[in-house]
Amino acid sequence: MTVLFVAPKSAWRRALAAETRAAADAGHRVRLLAEEHPDWELTPLDERVEVAWTGASEIRAPEPTFVAIVLRRIPLAILRRLGRGPLRGLPSWWRRTVLGPITRRRWPQTQALREAHRRAAVEAVLAEGDFDWLVLHEPQAVELSAAALPALLEARPDLVTTFSFETRAEAARA
Amino acid sequence: MNADRHVAVVTPWYPDPEVTYAGAFVRAQVEAVAGGCAELDVYHLKSWPVGAPGAPLDADPAVVELHARLLARSDVPLATAGGAVLHRVPTLTPRDPEWITHSDASARWLRAFLGGAPLKAPIVHAHVPITGGWAALENAAPGARVHMTEHSSFLAQLLEQPAARARYDEVLERADGFFVVGEPLHRLIAAEFPHHAGKLEYIANPIDFGAPRAAAPTALRRWLSVAALNERKRIDYLLEAFRRCREEDPGLTLTLAGDGKLRANLEALAEELGLSGSVEFLGSVDPAEVPALMAAHDLFVHTSRHETFGVVVVEALAAGTPVLVSRCGGSDQVLRGIEDAAGRLYDVDDDPEVLVAAYRDLRERYPERTNVPAAREHLRAKYSYETVARRHFEVWDQGARR
């Protein structure tokens, strides 16, 4: 079977690594929709797992032109020239005290953009339909498939759906 | 095995591939009792937070409808301890701090999972009354007997919420058996709900006494802590006390098993105190690895401010390792009558010198004026899998005969 793990935020990476490996060990073709995160290095995925990365963590709300030029580019260029010797901390002070709060105010917009991007990624992978077993691995998998999945379940009543891939009771008894 | 004993366990906490130690004591209970049951099904109601912070669960009806539909078609009975069957029941909950909404959600999603039918088992044992207990009561079959065990360290905060408090009172009223794992919880519930005080009984978490260490430690130099790295466990206090003890004996080492939000701060503190070479942070440890870890150290040190039971203290002594433990509630009860044999208790105090003095005293007395094997036998009689399983069977079978 082809098992598709849907984990658009990849909140539970340790479990994802273990369960996708178990699915591959069980002889399934394993696909995974996941989000990039530096901590994947701590829980690496099995090389048999075919991963589609959402790319959502790269997305940021665009900076207004005024801010980009008047508050970022020009002042930083000047402060870099001035910031030598005892004044070398000036650029990072500017980033922290002036640009930091401006960036933080854009965070809700960034989050909304990322959410929309993740939703589009989930809907695209569901539309491909190239799977027999769907593992909705985290809350966001359910939230973000709410528009697309009901129609798929109608069209494919035999589609297996679960929330994890773990050893089944019947297999343990065998 | 008792052919009549069909049991359902309903719990918000149970180990899973992400957090293998969460609710390990519930799995231990399942492992202890499974052999004596004809059928044992575990329903794991793990909280899955959804929606915007503060928004009600039904804010997005499409999500709620989809989840109900998925639950009804996604039951895959899984293997778990002792041959029991595990059902994962993801419980969508709103992102709010109100326990009443989590309580309602637990009952609602278990009902959806069961397709509206009641739990088949005539005996139901729930963990954490506000969520697991309420879900069990609302989904038990007519005539089924519902027992529950309270373990929560957050119960006092929960009871500050009026709706949750009223729900808790109702749960206490309706439960056929209501158990706590230690004296601190008994005192709290009896004080808050004196009209139900007579209903409260004790039931212990089972501990594996199967693999004691080969030989007793010769000197108490390799310290071990098994605790989450959070404020309540006071690992910063432990580091400072350890530093002072190490000034007297540079050969001391400290292993910290456990993870948490404070890890980066505590690692920085260890470095600041000059302990980088003598303190090791292991991170999360699988419960199955704990007995060997206990056996590989000379002294188990516990610095918690408050505990409802004291599982790790019993685990240390089950491995034959002496203990140095704060009087944090549950541990006092566990070690009552065997304090000097098991090691040393000390008062919860912000002054690290209290722990240092307790360590010096224990170091002087060990091993001649301690008796860890005797303490171990004392605890085995109370907390072994066999003892705790027998207690559960008494409770369940008594109820069935009524």
Side-chain angles (χ1 to χ4, degrees):
Chain A
M1 290 175 99
T2 298
V3 185
L4 172 64
F5 285 77
V6 181
K9 275 198 90 171
S10 302
W12 297 320
R13 289 179 290 279
R14 183 176 170 178
L16 271 173
E19 292 176 34
T20 50
R21 185 175 299 113
D25 288 344
H28 300 298
R29 178 186 170 213
V30 182
R31 298 177 58 208
L32 166 65
L33 176 69
E35 178 150 316
E36 298 87 338
H37 195 284
D39 282 356
W40 276 116
E41 283 183 20
L42 304 175
T43 53
L45 291 162
D46 191 285
E47 59 188 17
R48 293 169 292 178
V49 178
E50 301 166 29
V51 189
W53 300 106
T54 65
S57 57
E58 302 298 316
I59 293 172
R60 281 176 183 76
E63 198 166 54
T65 312
F66 172 82
V67 173
I69 295 172
V70 177
L71 291 176
R72 184 183 293 277
R73 205 174 302 164
I74 296 172
L76 281 176
I78 295 168
L79 291 171
R80 266 189 223 107
R81 279 176 177 272
L82 290 174
R84 304 230 163 86
L87 297 176
R88 68 178 176 277
L90 276 176
S92 53
W93 172 82
W94 183 264
R95 280 195 196 91
R96 202 169 51 245
T97 55
V98 178
L99 296 174
I102 294 171
T103 307
R104 279 196 291 279
R105 278 199 291 276
R106 282 206 313 280
W107 181 238
Q109 277 174 275
T110 297
Q111 278 184 309
L113 287 172
R114 289 182 181 181
E115 191 79 345
H117 190 82
R118 289 189 194 104
R119 188 184 303 277
V122 169
E123 291 178 355
V125 80
L126 291 178
E128 286 173 22
D130 180 21
F131 48 85
D132 318 288
W133 184 338
L134 191 57
V135 180
L136 297 151
H137 198 262
E138 60 187 17
Q140 287 70 31
V142 178
E143 279 189 293
L144 300 180
S145 60
L149 191 51
L152 186 64
L153 296 178
E154 286 296 326
R156 294 181 56 187
D158 57 332
L159 179 67
V160 179
T161 56
T162 60
F163 300 102
S164 66
F165 188 99
E166 298 174 83
T167 307
R168 292 187 178 208
E170 66 211 27
R173 286 186 192 126
Chain B
M1 187 186 74
N2 183 323
D4 296 329
R5 226 180 260 136
H6 293 229
V7 180
V9 170
V10 180
T11 175
W13 300 336
Y14 205 77
D16 66 22
E18 180 66 21
V19 193
T20 55
Y21 52 85
F25 45 86
V26 180
R27 184 167 61 189
Q29 181 226 25
V30 167
E31 190 171 2
V33 302
C37 299
E39 284 179 30
L40 177 56
D41 286 83
V42 182
Y43 297 87
H44 176 204
L45 311 181
K46 181 172 178 171
S47 173
W48 277 28
V50 292
L57 183 57
D58 289 300
D60 189 342
V63 172
V64 170
E65 279 168 30
L66 173 62
H67 193 59
R69 191 170 174 185
L70 287 168
L71 279 175
R73 74 193 305 282
S74 303
D75 181 21
V76 177
L78 302 171
T80 189
V85 173
L86 170 64
H87 308 271
R88 302 277 190 207
V89 187
T91 300
L92 295 192
T93 49
R95 286 190 169 90
D96 74 25
E98 294 300 319
W99 280 101
I100 191 70
T101 60
H102 292 248
S103 181
D104 287 337
S106 299
R108 171 184 185 162
W109 294 122
L110 180 57
R111 191 177 308 119
F113 179 80
L114 296 168
L119 291 161
K120 287 181 188 147
I123 302 165
V124 183
H125 200 114
H127 295 268
V128 190
I130 191 69
T131 50
W134 181 249
L137 287 167
E138 290 291 280
N139 289 283
R145 301 194 65 82
V146 180
H147 308 274
M148 55 193 73
T149 304
E150 180 62 278
H151 313 251
S152 313
S153 56
F154 51 79
L155 185 58
Q157 290 79 32
L158 182 157
L159 295 178
E160 287 170 6
Q161 300 176 359
R165 184 188 179 84
R167 170 66 52 82
Y168 207 88
D169 198 0
E170 186 179 346
V171 170
L172 272 160
E173 176 68 34
R174 288 173 58 186
D176 294 294
F178 197 101
F179 301 88
V180 292
V181 293
E183 277 179 4
L185 284 170
H186 194 289
R187 272 197 301 272
L188 173 63
I189 299 170
E192 297 285 340
F193 304 99
H195 49 294
H196 292 307
K199 197 169 189 175
L200 304 178
E201 295 183 69
Y202 287 108
I203 206 161
N205 289 322
I207 307 292
D208 183 5
F209 280 75
R213 63 194 305 149
T218 52
L220 308 181
R221 304 182 81 191
R222 294 173 299 168
W223 295 20
L224 171 68
S225 161
V226 180
L229 304 183
N230 60 37
E231 193 279 334
R232 184 164 60 91
K233 305 292 184 175
R234 301 197 311 154
I235 303 300
D236 52 345
Y237 174 88
L238 171 58
L239 287 170
E240 174 55 27
F242 173 74
R243 183 191 68 75
R244 296 183 191 191
C245 291
R246 201 167 169 275
E247 277 179 358
E248 296 174 16
D249 180 356
L252 294 184
T253 62
L254 170 62
T255 305
L256 297 166
D259 216 333
K261 287 178 184 169
L262 296 183
R263 179 162 178 172
N265 294 350
L266 292 167
E267 284 176 333
L269 177 62
E271 192 164 337
E272 193 181 305
L273 293 174
L275 300 173
S276 308
S278 54
V279 174
E280 185 181 9
F281 288 81
L282 293 185
S284 301
V285 172
D286 192 283
E289 296 169 20
V290 170
L293 198 60
M294 295 285 189
H297 289 79
D298 303 327
L299 178 66
F300 175 73
V301 187
H302 200 44
T303 48
S304 191
R305 189 181 302 283
H306 169 71
E307 291 294 333
T308 56
F309 180 53
V311 170
V312 281
V313 177
V314 186
E315 284 177 331
L317 288 160
T321 304
V323 299
L324 183 57
V325 180
S326 59
R327 293 184 203 280
C328 56
S331 308
D332 308 20
Q333 184 191 7
V334 162
L335 295 180
R336 188 166 298 143
I338 55 166
E339 295 93 335
D340 291 342
R344 179 72 151 79
L345 279 168
Y346 63 93
D347 292 334
V348 174
D349 191 296
D350 288 338
D351 182 0
E353 211 49 43
V354 174
L355 173 53
V356 174
Y359 172 66
R360 284 194 196 116
D361 174 65
L362 178 58
R363 189 180 57 191
E364 292 300 311
R365 287 196 290 113
Y366 185 83
E368 291 81 8
R369 283 178 286 147
T370 60
N371 192 345
V372 175
R376 183 176 184 276
E377 284 311 304
H378 175 90
L379 294 178
R380 180 153 68 165
K382 294 167 80 172
Y383 303 118
S384 71
Y385 276 39
E386 297 75 21
T387 305
V388 175
R390 216 165 28 242
R391 172 85 172 117
H392 278 88
F393 298 152
E394 278 168 17
V395 166
W396 294 342
D397 296 347
Q398 230 171 39
R401 280 196 296 274
R402 275 178 200 155

